[in-house]
């Protein structure tokens, strides 16, 4: 495994860094990738390039990290609401946040991922396209359509999709 690490660690690091633009996070996830690879080496399919296999593991770890951080960011928003002195505004904002979150969960999976990566992950459309294996334009259009659905359902009170 040492030889594999020496040969592919920079490839995995670069793969992660291009997607998250955070060197420290990329380093941590790269290390975790090789740990997971070591644990799953028996499941490696020799018909697949090792670099591809490692990057798939890295991609899944990055998605898990973003999901965990998205939840944390929503919790921060809730804490900010609780710190508010205006009880009526706080109640309205909490209801709106819950409505948006509920409607977001009902969107198609790809649309939900695009919105989460854009809003909570603060990624560009190009980065979203790269992460999801699609084009920048696809990410832009998918985000726009999802935003329209959310606006229509939450702020206009309709339940049609």
């Amino acid at each position: 495994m040492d030889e594999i690490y020496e040969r592919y660690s920079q490839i995995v690091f670069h793969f992660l860094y291009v997607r998250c633009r955070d060197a420290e996070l990329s380093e941590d996830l790269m290390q975790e990738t090789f740990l997971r690879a070591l644990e799953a080496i028996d499941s490696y399919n020799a018909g697949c390039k090792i670099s591809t296999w490692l990057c798939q593991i890295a991609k899944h770890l990055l998605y898990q990290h973003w999901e965990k951080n998205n939840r944390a960011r929503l919790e921060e928003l809730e804490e900010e609401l609780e710190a508010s002195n205006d009880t009526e505004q706080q109640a309205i904002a909490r209801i709106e946040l819950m409505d948006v979150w509920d409607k977001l969960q009902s969107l198609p999976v790809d649309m939900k991922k695009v919105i989460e990566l854009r809003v909570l992950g603060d990624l560009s459309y190009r980065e979203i396209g790269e992460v999801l294996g699609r084009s920048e334009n696809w990410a832009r259009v998918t985000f726009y359509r999802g935003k329209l659905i959310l606006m229509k359902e939450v702020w206009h009170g309709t339940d049609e999709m």
Side-chain angles (χ1 to χ4, degrees):
M1 193 63 166
D2 289 338
E3 184 180 313
I4 292 173
Y5 180 84
E6 287 296 319
R7 185 167 181 191
Y8 297 104
S9 62
Q10 287 303 310
I11 292 170
V12 173
F13 176 84
H14 181 71
F15 174 84
L16 290 164
Y17 184 76
V18 164
R19 282 150 182 78
C20 70
R21 301 282 188 233
D22 182 334
E24 187 176 323
L25 176 60
S26 298
E27 180 70 27
D28 290 346
L29 292 176
M30 179 195 63
Q31 298 295 332
E32 181 69 20
T33 297
F34 282 94
L35 178 64
R36 295 277 176 96
L38 181 61
E39 293 170 351
I41 195 71
D42 293 336
S43 68
Y44 170 67
N45 175 1
C48 170
K49 290 170 51 175
I50 290 178
S51 59
T52 302
W53 180 61
L54 292 169
C55 287
Q56 285 293 346
I57 294 170
K59 179 177 79 170
H60 290 292
L61 289 171
L62 183 59
Y63 284 168
Q64 288 173 351
H65 172 79
W66 281 337
E67 268 189 44
K68 181 178 143 190
N69 281 353
N70 288 346
R71 277 186 242 117
R73 191 151 178 203
L74 283 173
E75 288 171 7
E76 285 176 19
L77 288 173
E78 287 178 352
E79 287 174 12
E80 288 176 18
L81 290 173
E82 289 170 4
S84 169
N85 291 334
D86 185 352
T87 307
E88 184 178 346
Q89 283 293 80
Q90 181 180 348
I92 290 170
R94 182 175 298 278
I95 290 168
E96 288 176 355
L97 178 62
M98 289 178 357
D99 285 347
V100 171
W101 182 250
D102 287 343
K103 297 301 181 186
L104 180 63
Q105 300 311 308
S106 69
L107 292 177
V109 174
D110 282 345
M111 190 174 284
K112 177 184 163 191
K113 282 183 182 178
V114 168
I115 291 172
E116 288 175 342
L117 292 172
R118 179 74 176 155
V119 175
L120 301 173
D122 200 28
L123 295 181
S124 70
Y125 295 114
R126 182 184 54 77
E127 291 169 326
I128 294 168
E130 287 175 4
V131 165
L132 298 178
R134 297 297 202 56
S135 70
E136 176 180 346
N137 192 48
W138 174 87
R140 187 180 308 276
V141 169
T142 303
F143 178 81
Y144 176 75
R145 289 178 180 163
K147 184 173 76 170
L148 288 179
I149 290 170
L150 289 175
M151 287 172 55
K152 181 178 178 185
E153 289 187 7
V154 174
W155 287 282
H156 297 295
T158 63
D159 289 326
E160 296 177 14
M161 265 185 100

